[in-house]
Amino acid sequence: RKEVEQDPGPFNVPEGATVAFNCTYSNSASQSFFWYRQDCRKEPKLLMSVYSSGNEDGRFTAQLNRASQYISLLIRDSKLSDSATYLCVVIRRRGSTLGRLYFGRGTQLTVWP
Amino acid sequence: DTEVTQTPKHLVMGMTNKKSLKCEQHMGHRAMYWYKQKAKKPPELMFVYSYEKLSINESVPSRFSPECPNSSLLNLHLHALQPEDSALYLCASSHVRTSGRETQYFGPGTRLLVL
């Protein structure tokens, strides 16, 4: 079973739509959770960290459910510039070593005018 | 400032060439990483350096040789690569907070083409 499972999409939505992405992780010892955004032929860029209490940054809301091992990202009022691949990322430490990132396969979003 | 820089941006090399990729960060991060990313796939971890010592090698072929000259620099030496090694090579560095939370920041990558 993959460490992080994520629906690859693609999601094609009109401007102004609300879109939700989900991912699940398999190891309950995972410690840190993030959403990264990756534009075509560019590097992944940190979009936001994800906490159990939920966190919001403008039009973006992220939520972590540790009991269900489930992470979500909600984008409200989609803009054309939101078109990208969204990567669900989990960090887990093995022993006392540094954490290792585990990536979902990414969800592709296209926002059309 | 969360900047990780990488050079060159693009690299074309033959299978007999020797080249090096460079990565630099001045955020005081003590962990640095090399990833390889193929089209439409997530990044795959290659190497991790912690406090300038190699901490993780994900069974990477010896034609890839990492080097960490100091806490700000990370190199990846390439020799006798194969066409299937063509990919985007990403460097990252991370900061571990006292809470234990860790965040990684990626450089812009080097797009490598092996002919």
Side-chain angles (χ1 to χ4, degrees):
Chain A
R1 187 182 169 192
K2 284 191 176 178
E3 189 92 16
V4 180
E5 297 272 9
Q6 188 179 355
D7 180 353
F11 285 63
N12 298 301
V13 303
E15 267 188 298
T18 295
V19 61
F21 304 141
N22 306 312
C23 88
T24 57
Y25 59 97
S26 60
N27 196 312
S28 60
S30 300
Q31 287 134 331
S32 302
F33 310 88
F34 304 89
W35 285 100
Y36 281 76
R37 170 199 168 123
Q38 187 168 25
D39 292 283
C40 187
R41 302 179 70 81
K42 299 280 190 181
E43 78 275 23
K45 289 199 168 148
L46 179 65
L47 181 65
M48 56 200 307
S49 302
V50 190
Y51 306 105
S52 298
S53 53
N55 49 309
E56 190 172 312
D57 182 2
R59 298 179 294 107
F60 298 84
T61 301
Q63 187 73 52
L64 165 66
N65 184 322
R66 281 193 183 270
S68 304
Q69 295 179 197
Y70 174 91
I71 303 161
S72 65
L73 177 68
L74 185 75
I75 305 176
R76 289 181 298 279
D77 189 22
S78 300
K79 310 289 185 196
L80 297 177
S81 56
D82 293 335
S83 298
T85 296
Y86 290 82
L87 294 162
C88 178
V89 177
V90 166
I91 291 184
R92 179 167 62 84
R93 276 188 197 79
R94 295 183 289 192
S96 60
T97 61
L98 279 170
R100 183 192 161 165
L101 261 64
Y102 294 89
F103 291 85
R105 57 189 297 190
T107 299
Q108 188 181 334
L109 172 66
T110 301
V111 181
W112 44 273
Chain B
D1 181 15
T2 55
E3 190 178 29
V4 179
T5 59
Q6 286 186 246
T7 55
K9 287 188 176 167
H10 299 92
L11 179 62
V12 180
M13 60 187 289
M15 288 188 282
T16 58
N17 292 157
K18 281 186 182 180
K19 296 285 183 185
S20 296
L21 309 185
K22 296 186 184 303
C23 173
E24 192 166 359
Q25 58 88 14
H26 294 288
M27 296 178 278
H29 293 176
R30 302 313 296 266
M32 296 183 76
Y33 306 76
W34 280 114
Y35 290 87
K36 171 182 176 180
Q37 187 175 25
K38 302 282 263 185
K40 298 191 185 299
K41 300 279 189 186
E44 296 173 23
L45 182 65
M46 299 175 72
F47 301 104
V48 181
Y49 272 82
S50 174
Y51 290 85
E52 295 140 61
K53 287 188 167 42
L54 184 63
S55 175
I56 296 175
N57 175 341
E58 289 287 321
S59 303
V60 179
S62 60
R63 57 186 185 268
F64 295 92
S65 174
E67 179 200 16
C68 190
N70 61 55
S71 60
S72 300
L73 293 173
L74 186 66
N75 298 323
L76 186 63
H77 303 297
L78 315 173
H79 174 52
L81 294 196
Q82 304 295 311
E84 60 265 29
D85 296 323
S86 300
L88 178 67
Y89 287 83
L90 293 160
C91 175
S93 69
S94 73
H95 170 62
V96 183
R97 294 183 179 83
T98 49
S99 63
R101 284 190 63 86
E102 181 181 343
T103 305
Q104 278 197 21
Y105 299 94
F106 287 84
T110 293
R111 192 159 295 280
L112 174 67
L113 177 62
V114 182
L115 300 175

